[in-house]
Amino acid sequence: MAERRGPRRAVRRPAPGLIAGRTAACALSLAVLGVSGFAWYTNEQLNGVSRSHALDQARKNAPKHLDSSVNILLIGLDSRKNMDGTDLPKEFVQDELHAGSSEIGGYNTNSLIVLHIPPSGKAQAVSIPRDDWVQTYNADGTEGKMHKVKEAYGYAKDAAEEKLRAKGVKGADLEQQSREAGRSATIQTVQKLLDIPIDHFAEVNLIGFYDIAKALEPIPVCLNKAVDDPIVSRVTDSKGNVIKPGGGTGLKLPAGVSQLNAADALSFVRQRHNLTNGDLDRTHRQQAFIASVEYKLKQQGVLGDLGKMQDLLNVVKKDVVIDDQWQILDFAQQAPNLTGGNVEFNTLPIDKFATIGGQEVNQVDPAKLRRIVKQLFGQPLDADPAATPATPAPTPTPAATEAPAADATVDVLNGSSVTGAAGDESKALVALGYRAGKVDTADTHPRTTTVKYGAGAQDAGRQIAAHYGVNATASSALAPGHVQVTLGADHTATTTPAGTGSEPAGPAPSATLQMQGPPVKAGGVPCVD
């Protein structure tokens, strides 16, 4: 952004600057449950919830609904500011989060979850990874620039703030009005990206998550394996340049079920270091946390306890912003679809990791994402003629199609989260002319797919590496004539459309769709990494 000052959160900070948003979606979904469960109480009790007009512009350009389903965008805001723009308490940011000062940070929407509530049946929720490189849209609906999806809010807020200051707007009014621009830009960016209408939205920031978790602690979570995420101090030189980035949450938990207080809950959903797939694993943590909270609400009868619900409502009033047309009493009729395990969480897939303009980003295929979402939500693939055609993602052209497959035996190891991927890839490589070798699970889980070759297999190694869009490396540990492919976190399975033409595809089981890892299902305390 050479032409103007970028948003205050432009600098990539491994831990402190990325905390709030990863926790916020959990609180947000929790708040939605709390508000809907309290709808039977009195409408007057909801007067204190902040309302927003940010959906006005998005509704003008939204695709049409083909049924009575409802799409809710849950926004987790990476901000260490209160609603009026004042800093969060120093002791909270520093002592509870070990996250530096309240002045650090900005306005990334590091958690974006679309909750789809159908007329009947299971609700579906999809998370959009925060670093997806997408076309953003401005608050007025015009096309913006390519940015990470999380940055649409901050860029729009900064642009609005500059104009508002020129008009003499300041203080809390400046903060509130510029945030409205950020919300509008975020809603429209997501709506365009997925080609679905956003009917309602809710937003919460860092303090909101903490307050809600505090009201409900202890909260059960489950881990597949023990975690140890020690805090590492950030080191700078005399000029303030970062020599060694800080990181870590201080979280240390055993495998199995643990009961978390609010502080540990924050650590659980914001950890990204010492996780195999970093941010993507953290997204699954968020989803599992939401499912666990929903389970606790039901098991303990919180939704039917006036006193407990009053405490939760008081938190919701203070920390959550919802759109001005959300009729809570109407929404309460759909609330049963959000309880009893009737929600499944998925993470939309990325194509590969990349570096653009010095930033680490996720490259995605918007057409593929739209197709996946429409299938998952049970919508026709061509529901909107104005939408971008849902064409399959391009498949890299293997070098083996330009020349006969070089003589080699290919071993395929699965280090990805896609079940059965090694066997599928082995068959695909055999179809290209290579010999099938070992098919197994990898001991490591690399971020990207790797290709190594033994003596005499250089040509095959390079051909196969070109197929995956990576570089091949020699390895003396491999048998002569062998190539080893280790599928990494960037590997995704092949998607088979559930429907064609203008007929509705019907809700497609997420297991048949290309997602970033397995779904997280509500109805209990799901275990995750």
Side-chain angles (χ1 to χ4, degrees):
M1 294 297 294
E3 69 273 19
R4 70 171 180 87
R5 178 179 61 87
R8 288 185 289 273
R9 81 281 170 267
V11 178
R12 188 182 182 94
R13 295 182 175 89
L18 302 177
I19 292 173
R22 262 74 91 207
T23 67
C26 309
L28 191 47
S29 297
L30 208 148
V32 169
L33 289 172
V35 171
S36 62
F38 218 59
W40 56 268
Y41 187 41
T42 60
N43 246 345
E44 287 73 21
Q45 293 295 319
L46 295 171
N47 288 340
V49 177
S50 298
R51 297 279 185 164
S52 166
H53 300 286
L55 264 174
D56 291 353
Q57 183 64 44
R59 286 192 175 102
K60 297 177 182 179
N61 303 317
K64 301 298 182 184
H65 265 299
L66 298 181
D67 55 24
S68 58
S69 61
V70 176
N71 297 324
I72 302 170
L73 177 61
L74 309 177
I75 301 173
L77 186 63
D78 183 358
S79 171
R80 303 179 196 186
K81 305 286 184 180
N82 289 305
M83 294 290 188
D84 60 1
T86 58
D87 292 339
L88 294 179
K90 178 180 178 181
E91 61 274 13
F92 170 70
V93 175
Q94 293 185 354
D95 300 339
E96 289 286 352
L97 302 184
H98 310 287
S101 70
S102 297
E103 289 77 16
I104 299 174
Y107 294 87
N108 287 334
T109 53
N110 282 338
S111 292
L112 291 169
I113 300 177
V114 177
L115 179 64
H116 175 78
I117 306 174
S120 62
K122 186 183 292 290
Q124 296 285 347
V126 292
S127 293
I128 305 171
R130 67 189 183 96
D131 287 339
D132 283 6
W133 188 251
V134 303
Q135 174 66 63
T136 63
Y137 286 80
N138 301 314
D140 61 2
T142 58
E143 193 173 274
K145 295 186 177 182
M146 295 291 294
H147 291 297
K148 294 180 181 180
V149 67
K150 69 178 182 180
E151 295 177 327
Y153 196 114
Y155 278 102
K157 184 185 185 299
D158 273 14
E161 193 173 273
E162 185 176 342
K163 294 178 181 179
L164 290 166
R165 286 184 188 277
K167 295 179 180 179
V169 181
K170 56 185 178 180
D173 288 340
L174 177 65
E175 179 73 8
Q176 292 165 9
Q177 292 181 42
S178 59
R179 281 198 189 190
E180 284 286 82
R183 293 167 188 142
S184 179
T186 296
I187 293 165
Q188 292 179 82
T189 295
V190 171
Q191 189 168 260
K192 288 283 189 179
L193 174 65
L194 303 183
D195 188 36
I196 57 172
I198 299 299
D199 303 297
H200 300 294
F201 85 92
E203 173 195 297
V204 74
N205 64 3
L206 178 62
I207 192 70
F209 174 88
Y210 183 84
D211 285 345
I212 295 173
K214 195 72 177 174
L216 295 176
E217 66 181 11
I219 299 170
V221 300
C222 181
L223 289 172
N224 290 322
K225 53 189 176 183
V227 298
D228 187 1
D229 188 37
I231 296 174
V232 178
S233 299
R234 189 181 185 197
V235 180
T236 59
D237 60 20
S238 59
K239 296 182 179 180
N241 298 315
V242 177
I243 299 175
K244 182 180 179 182
T249 62
L251 184 68
K252 188 172 184 179
L253 292 175
V257 177
S258 297
Q259 300 288 336
L260 305 186
N261 59 26
D264 286 341
L266 282 167
S267 297
F268 178 81
V269 296
R270 73 180 177 89
Q271 181 187 353
R272 72 183 179 91
H273 294 286
N274 302 304
L275 293 177
T276 302
N277 298 312
D279 279 339
L280 301 176
D281 281 346
R282 176 162 49 184
T283 298
H284 296 145
R285 291 269 192 98
Q286 296 170 2
Q287 297 164 347
F289 186 84
I290 296 171
S292 295
V293 165
E294 184 272 328
Y295 180 71
K296 176 171 182 174
L297 288 173
K298 183 180 180 182
Q299 289 296 106
Q300 296 191 354
V302 174
L303 297 181
D305 187 310
L306 185 61
K308 294 179 180 178
M309 283 307 303
Q310 181 65 65
D311 290 341
L312 187 57
L313 179 62
N314 288 337
V315 173
V316 170
K317 282 183 177 181
K318 181 167 65 74
D319 297 318
V320 174
V321 178
I322 64 177
D323 66 272
D324 59 344
Q325 295 188 34
W326 197 344
Q327 299 300 317
I328 301 300
L329 289 177
D330 292 340
F331 179 71
Q333 298 176 5
Q334 298 158 321
N337 280 339
L338 299 179
T339 59
N342 278 341
V343 184
E344 182 177 85
F345 297 89
N346 279 282
T347 303
L348 292 176
I350 66 172
D351 285 352
K352 63 180 179 179
F353 299 109
T355 300
I356 298 178
Q359 299 184 83
E360 295 178 21
V361 306
N362 305 327
Q363 287 195 328
V364 297
D365 179 354
K368 179 168 67 177
L369 298 185
R370 292 168 193 147
R371 184 176 68 252
I372 289 171
V373 168
K374 287 186 177 182
Q375 287 180 252
L376 188 65
F377 291 0
Q379 304 295 316
L381 297 184
D382 60 348
D384 185 356
T388 303
T391 54
T395 300
T397 302
T401 63
E402 300 170 0
D407 184 37
T409 298
V410 185
D411 304 320
V412 184
L413 307 180
N414 189 10
S416 77
S417 59
V418 180
T419 303
D424 292 340
E425 288 302 307
S426 180
K427 293 176 183 177
L429 291 167
V430 168
L432 293 175
Y434 303 101
R435 289 190 302 277
K438 176 182 177 183
V439 175
D440 204 347
T441 301
D443 293 330
T444 60
H445 300 277
R447 186 175 181 183
T448 59
T449 295
T450 62
V451 176
K452 299 178 181 179
Y453 59 87
Q458 177 176 313
D459 290 343
R462 289 178 175 176
Q463 286 180 344
I464 294 170
H467 174 67
Y468 291 101
V470 298
N471 294 321
T473 57
S475 173
S476 59
L478 294 181
H482 278 245
V483 174
Q484 178 179 285
V485 176
T486 304
L487 303 175
D490 60 340
H491 179 76
T492 52
T494 302
T495 301
T496 301
T500 57
S502 60
E503 297 181 1
S510 60
T512 69
L513 298 176
Q514 178 181 341
M515 294 293 183
Q516 197 69 44
V520 173
K521 298 181 180 180
V525 181
C527 292
V528 292
D529 289 339

